[in-house]
Amino acid sequence: MLPKSKVDLYAAIRRDAKAGLSPRAVMRKHGVGYETVQRALVSALPEPRKKMQPRETRLDPFKPVIDAILTTDLTAPRKQRHTAKRIYDRLLDEHNAVDISYQMVRGYVSARREETRLQAGKGVVDAFVPQTHKPGAEAEVDFGDVTLRLAGELVTCYLFAFRLSYSGKAVHRIFASAGQEAFFEGHVHALNVLGGVPTGKVRYDNLRAAVAQVLGLSRRRVEAERWTAFRSHYVHVPVGSRRIPAASATSMAA
């Protein structure tokens, strides 16, 4: 059976050479040349592939012009910055670039615009912030509409999702409406399944059902009294400490 990869090929060559086969015999056995055998004997890992040099294109003579325009745009007012179409038109009018197409310019501008910003220290570097959560400390809640097919018809329902941040364990429930009663019942169901409430924070993507009023331009929320009482009822029941009585929990949502 032929080796599946170049690493396997090198390993087989080194194994056969160690067993006493001559370089010529190894070459015949594996169908390779003398240089391949020598490289395999020097290193068990194949050398990395050489990167192919990009092929020259008709756009190459005009790339410095495009780069200069994109650099100037960094300090220009927003409405005066160049679109790819405007750059293409300038290349035609000012540089007689009749051999290039708009698609070539658009592709290059799309790739170079953000690179130019990064080189000038004005771009956003791809990065991530690792999140850490303590067991049973935090959770996320989402309550939004979903479309289901029931009895052959598309119906809009509402999905309540309660997910623990540390373990990723989630509890879901579908409702016919997005009212406050459904919002409370979703919590009751999730907390009974989980056996308690998080000891820290619960983050909400949509808290509309718990808000009584939004205060003007500040966008501050006034919580509904029933939601305040609901939160107060569960605030001292950490996850895993005890099972929430279903009757007591339901009474808060009623």
Side-chain angles (χ1 to χ4, degrees), residues 27 31 35 44 47 59 81 100 168 171 179-180 185 203 205 232:
M27 292 166 53
E35 292 185 358
E47 63 283 356
L59 186 64
R81 297 173 189 172
I100 65 174
V171 181
Q180 194 178 76
E185 186 178 338
R203 296 180 174 85
D205 184 56
S232 177

Side-chain angles (χ1 to χ4, degrees), residues 53-103:
Q53 292 294 330
R55 294 184 299 175
E56 294 184 359
T57 68
R58 295 191 301 272
L59 186 64
D60 287 353
F62 306 101
K63 286 181 178 180
V65 178
I66 298 176
D67 291 345
I69 294 174
L70 294 177
T71 301
T72 303
D73 280 352
L74 295 176
T75 55
R78 181 175 296 275
K79 291 186 178 180
Q80 296 180 16
R81 297 173 189 172
H82 291 72
T83 63
K85 180 62 167 62
R86 175 60 182 142
I87 293 176
Y88 175 65
D89 291 340
R90 284 191 58 181
L91 292 176
L92 291 178
D93 297 339
E94 301 173 15
H95 300 275
N96 196 30
V98 294
D99 292 332
I100 65 174
S101 66
Y102 168 65
Q103 286 73 18

Side-chain angles (χ1 to χ4, degrees), residues 127-135 138-140 163-168 201 203:
F128 71 95
V129 178
Q131 297 187 21
T132 58
H133 305 282
K134 295 181 179 179
E138 299 179 14
E140 302 104 34
R163 178 182 178 275
L164 293 177
S165 302
Y166 175 79
S167 65
K201 298 179 180 179
R203 296 180 174 85

Side-chain angles (χ1 to χ4, degrees), residues 178-209:
Q180 194 178 76
E181 292 79 7
F183 187 64
F184 286 171
E185 186 178 338
H187 281 82
V188 172
H189 173 68
L191 297 179
N192 273 306
V193 171
L194 297 173
V197 301
T199 57
K201 298 179 180 179
V202 179
R203 296 180 174 85
Y204 289 84
D205 184 56
N206 180 8
L207 200 56
R208 186 183 308 167

Side-chain angles (χ1 to χ4, degrees), residues 31-64:
V32 297
Y34 178 79
E35 292 185 358
T36 301
V37 173
Q38 293 305 309
R39 286 195 293 266
L41 296 178
V42 171
S43 173
L45 292 176
E47 63 283 356
R49 290 179 177 270
K50 295 182 179 180
K51 291 185 177 180
M52 299 292 293
Q53 292 294 330
R55 294 184 299 175
E56 294 184 359
T57 68
R58 295 191 301 272
L59 186 64
D60 287 353
F62 306 101
K63 286 181 178 180

